Amino acid sequence: MAFELPTLPYAKSALGAKGMCEETLDLHHGKHHQAYVTALNGFVDKDPALQGKSLEDIVKATASAGGPVFNNAGQHWNHILFWQCLSPTGGKIPGALEKKITEDLGSVAAFKDAFKAAGISQFGSGWAWLVLAPDGKLKVTKTPNGSNPLATGEGKVLLAVDVWEHAYYLDFKNVRPNYLQNFLDVLANYEFAEAQLKAA
Ligand code: MN3
């Protein structure tokens, strides 16, 4: 079965008051993410070795070699997570997640500083992540382009933010730090992050 673009879990206009306008979501979900899905399906159609594999299996199998299959599979996987990491009621960190953040990263402020720094310091396109590392501790990390913690083995993703320019240019122009601060303060779906933590 071909891979499909997931439906957004909110209206495209729902995040406008939270710093992500409808046009951003139209382009980012409807064009950019769709293009990764279309390209990935094209590769799968042509390569019997990829057919019948899950998205996770394709990402892991192509991670060390890299290349266009990995790039598009990785971006599909990353964006599926990213849409769930945004919310019209975002920004509030629930108790169990806050406790874990404080234990492992020092404080909510320290977490936000580290996450923002990861996103700012990712030169060019990529992603910043909050993961539950294999040692059971939270960790902030970043990856270039279409890579992700599934490919690097850095742990289970709790929170993902896209720092490709297409994610923020209409809303924040060139000022990536403001996009990241806004994400952390009002847009991030920490309920999703906590659910990921509890399911780990
Ligand atoms: Mn993107």
Side-chain angles (χ1 to χ4, degrees):
M1 199 184 88
F3 294 106
E4 291 179 0
L5 185 71
T7 304
L8 290 173
Y10 32 73
K12 279 184 180 166
S13 59
L15 306 181
K18 292 283 194 170
M20 188 172 283
C21 68
E22 185 168 358
E23 190 181 6
T24 292
L25 283 168
D26 253 342
L27 293 166
H28 196 176
H29 176 262
K31 304 293 183 190
H32 290 276
H33 189 175
Q34 180 64 66
Y36 300 129
V37 174
T38 302
L40 175 60
N41 284 330
F43 291 122
V44 173
D45 279 347
K46 292 195 194 81
D47 185 352
L50 299 172
Q51 289 163 14
K53 282 199 159 75
S54 70
L55 181 60
E56 287 72 17
D57 285 343
I58 293 176
V59 169
K60 287 192 276 192
T62 56
S64 60
V69 177
F70 174 70
N71 291 337
N72 286 283
Q75 283 293 73
H76 182 32
W77 191 84
N78 295 351
H79 285 85
I80 290 169
L81 277 166
F82 180 55
W83 307 130
Q84 299 175 82
C85 289
L86 309 174
S87 169
T89 56
K92 294 180 282 290
I93 303 181
L97 179 63
E98 182 175 2
K99 182 167 177 287
K100 182 71 173 159
I101 285 173
T102 303
E103 282 170 6
D104 293 352
L105 302 173
S107 66
V108 168
F111 151 67
K112 288 188 176 182
D113 285 349
F115 193 92
K116 192 175 166 188
I120 291 170
S121 64
Q122 174 50 49
F123 184 78
S125 296
W127 295 77
W129 311 91
L130 175 66
V131 300
L132 184 65
D135 67 0
K137 295 229 182 343
L138 297 185
K139 180 183 163 187
V140 171
T141 187
K142 64 183 175 180
T143 57
N145 302 315
S147 191
N148 54 52
L150 178 66
T152 60
E154 285 182 287
K156 176 174 178 161
V157 173
L158 306 192
L159 199 64
V161 72
D162 188 340
V163 298
W164 287 57
E165 283 185 350
H166 65 227
Y168 61 86
Y169 226 82
L170 292 176
D171 299 294
F172 294 92
K173 302 293 191 286
N174 57 311
V175 192
R176 191 190 290 184
N178 289 358
Y179 161 70
L180 288 163
Q181 191 71 53
N182 181 75
F183 172 80
L184 288 163
D185 290 344
V186 306
L187 191 52
N189 186 348
Y190 293 107
E191 278 83 12
F192 173 75
E194 185 175 89
Q196 291 285 96
L197 175 66
K198 286 180 172 171

